[in-house]
Amino acid sequence: MFGDGVERLGMSINVLKNPIEFGSKENDPVKYEFCLAATENNRHLNAMAELVCLLDDPQFYYLLDTSQDPNEIYDYLSVKETLLG
């Protein structure tokens, strides 16, 4: 049985091997997917703001594209003190 709501702030990141075209000239192809889970009604807004900052960081994309170890990305986020609560 599933509980109600989210127990703690979380984020998942997927890097697609085969990017998807959705028909958007400005945004295609889509290579990265991000999912946020927040414990409080407005906490997701802070997480989204932190994610937007990461999306301006070329090093973040480099790690997403080259890392074979999810812990490397987690460590990078820990150092930047973003999205980890």
Side-chain angles (χ1 to χ4, degrees), residues 15 26 31 38 57 63 75 80-81:
V15 179
E26 291 122 17
K31 184 175 183 178
D57 181 354
L63 280 174
D75 291 344
K80 297 205 51 109
E81 296 181 9

Side-chain angles (χ1 to χ4, degrees), residues 6-20:
V6 174
E7 293 184 19
R8 66 181 188 175
L9 179 67
M11 179 179 73
S12 67
I13 303 171
N14 292 310
V15 179
L16 304 175
K17 286 183 182 180
N18 299 310
I20 300 171

Side-chain angles (χ1 to χ4, degrees), residues 13-76:
I13 303 171
N14 292 310
V15 179
L16 304 175
K17 286 183 182 180
N18 299 310
I20 300 171
E21 302 251 349
F22 287 97
S24 172
K25 189 175 186 177
E26 291 122 17
N27 297 313
D28 280 349
V30 173
K31 184 175 183 178
Y32 310 100
E33 299 175 323
F34 301 92
C35 180
L36 296 173
T39 56
E40 300 168 16
N41 288 342
N42 292 327
R43 180 62 179 117
H44 72 284
L45 298 175
N46 295 338
M48 286 178 66
E50 293 172 5
L51 177 58
V52 167
C53 289
L54 281 171
L55 297 179
D56 283 335
D57 181 354
Q59 181 65 25
F60 180 58
Y61 289 106
Y62 176 78
L63 280 174
L64 292 179
D65 289 336
T66 61
S67 179
Q68 299 298 309
D69 181 4
N71 289 317
E72 185 178 9
I73 296 165
Y74 183 86
D75 291 344
Y76 182 77

Side-chain angles (χ1 to χ4, degrees), residues 1-7:
M1 179 120 205
F2 294 103
D4 292 330
V6 174
E7 293 184 19

